[in-house]
Amino acid sequence: MEFCHFRKSSVKDGMDLLSGKWKIHIIGTLLYGGKMRFMDLQREVKGIGAKMLSKELQDLEANQLLIRTVVSSKPITVEYELSEFGRSLEPVIDAIAEWGMKYRSVMMDREIPHP
Amino acid sequence: MEFCHFRKSSVKDGMDLLSGKWKIHIIGTLLYGGKMRFMDLQREVKGIGAKMLSKELQDLEANQLLIRTVVSSKPITVEYELSEFGRSLEPVIDAIAEWGMKYRSVMMDREIPHP
């Protein structure tokens, strides 16, 4: 059971960082959309409020998954992109997307386009 | 952007089902532990209360990821196991575990046992 315990704590580590309703959406959006500004992100991550988005971005930055860049344009703009470590989540996002597609087709019993 | 939109909605589908702090832990525990009783599950999923565990198990059953079996022992016992569909989450759990291990080693900068 020893390694199984270790593996379960790794799942816990991983999920603690990805916890909450929005983080995976934000990471998935940045993974596909690349560098984005706050307003772009808020538009793409349907339903998220500005306060929640700001909090989640701070969490992601604190956990070294996100890079925040202040662009000295006029007015000043801030851009967000995944760090190398954030991008290493791609297999997790892909696995969830694959599974989500399978679930959708099972639930709706219709053929769906394959990539 | 069309397929990217579809892929993002699949991530959303997937995450809506796995939302909340505990579902991935419960699925991961049943994936490694097989058929389990309520008390076993509550002991293995560290920190979860009985009321929360009961609610999450109902959600998972409603979403066809879990099978609940009433065993006609005396006293009656109830067993929980993943459905075939629930087991199809293994790649997601594995991807999160792999990533969680990488994150742990990056954060703690020490060698960890490899499977």
Side-chain angles (χ1 to χ4, degrees):
Chain A
M1 262 306 246
E2 178 39 38
F3 189 76
C4 168
H5 172 72
F6 176 78
R7 196 166 181 76
K8 269 202 297 181
S9 56
S10 303
V11 170
K12 188 172 183 322
D13 282 351
M15 278 318 294
D16 284 349
L17 286 161
L18 304 175
S19 67
K21 186 175 159 181
W22 298 105
K23 287 197 179 76
I24 293 255
H25 294 252
I26 296 168
I27 292 166
T29 301
L30 287 168
L31 201 59
Y32 301 129
K35 197 179 269 193
M36 296 174 83
R37 293 180 192 173
F38 191 91
M39 295 308 282
D40 303 331
L41 260 171
Q42 193 176 356
R43 194 185 53 245
E44 288 290 324
V45 181
K46 301 263 177 296
I48 195 167
K51 218 171 135 196
M52 175 58 85
L53 177 56
S54 174
K55 179 205 159 286
E56 297 289 63
L57 290 173
Q58 275 171 28
D59 280 1
L60 291 170
E61 192 184 4
N63 288 318
Q64 300 178 25
L65 300 174
L66 186 83
I67 298 168
R68 180 175 177 276
T69 313
V70 178
V71 180
S72 48
S73 47
K74 282 205 172 66
I76 288 179
T77 48
V78 179
E79 291 180 336
Y80 299 91
E81 62 187 307
L82 292 178
S83 63
E84 191 196 331
F85 205 61
R87 282 197 304 277
S88 73
L89 273 161
E90 186 159 7
V92 175
I93 304 292
D94 281 349
I96 292 172
E98 293 305 318
W99 188 78
M101 275 186 249
K102 211 186 299 178
Y103 186 81
R104 183 184 274 234
S105 71
V106 166
M107 287 302 137
M108 295 193 210
D109 245 351
R110 62 175 170 68
E111 200 41 62
I112 53 166
H114 287 281
Chain B
M1 263 308 247
E2 179 39 41
F3 189 77
C4 171
H5 171 73
F6 178 78
R7 198 164 180 77
K8 271 201 295 181
S9 57
S10 303
V11 169
K12 187 172 185 322
D13 281 352
M15 278 318 292
D16 284 350
L17 284 162
L18 305 175
S19 67
K21 188 176 157 182
W22 299 105
K23 288 198 178 75
I24 293 251
H25 293 254
I26 296 168
I27 292 166
T29 302
L30 287 169
L31 201 60
Y32 301 128
K35 199 180 268 191
M36 296 175 83
R37 292 181 196 174
F38 191 90
M39 295 306 282
D40 303 330
L41 260 171
Q42 195 178 355
R43 193 186 52 243
E44 287 290 322
V45 181
K46 301 266 178 293
I48 194 166
K51 216 171 138 196
M52 176 59 83
L53 177 56
S54 171
K55 176 201 159 289
E56 297 289 62
L57 291 173
Q58 273 169 29
D59 280 0
L60 291 170
E61 191 184 3
N63 287 319
Q64 302 178 23
L65 300 174
L66 188 82
I67 297 167
R68 182 178 179 274
T69 311
V70 177
V71 180
S72 50
S73 49
K74 282 206 176 59
I76 287 178
T77 47
V78 179
E79 291 181 337
Y80 298 92
E81 63 189 308
L82 293 179
S83 64
E84 189 194 331
F85 206 61
R87 284 197 302 279
S88 73
L89 271 162
E90 186 157 7
V92 174
I93 304 292
D94 282 346
I96 292 172
E98 293 307 317
W99 188 77
M101 276 186 245
K102 211 185 298 178
Y103 186 81
R104 184 184 273 233
S105 71
V106 165
M107 286 302 137
M108 294 191 207
D109 244 351
R110 60 172 170 71
E111 198 45 62
I112 55 164
H114 285 281

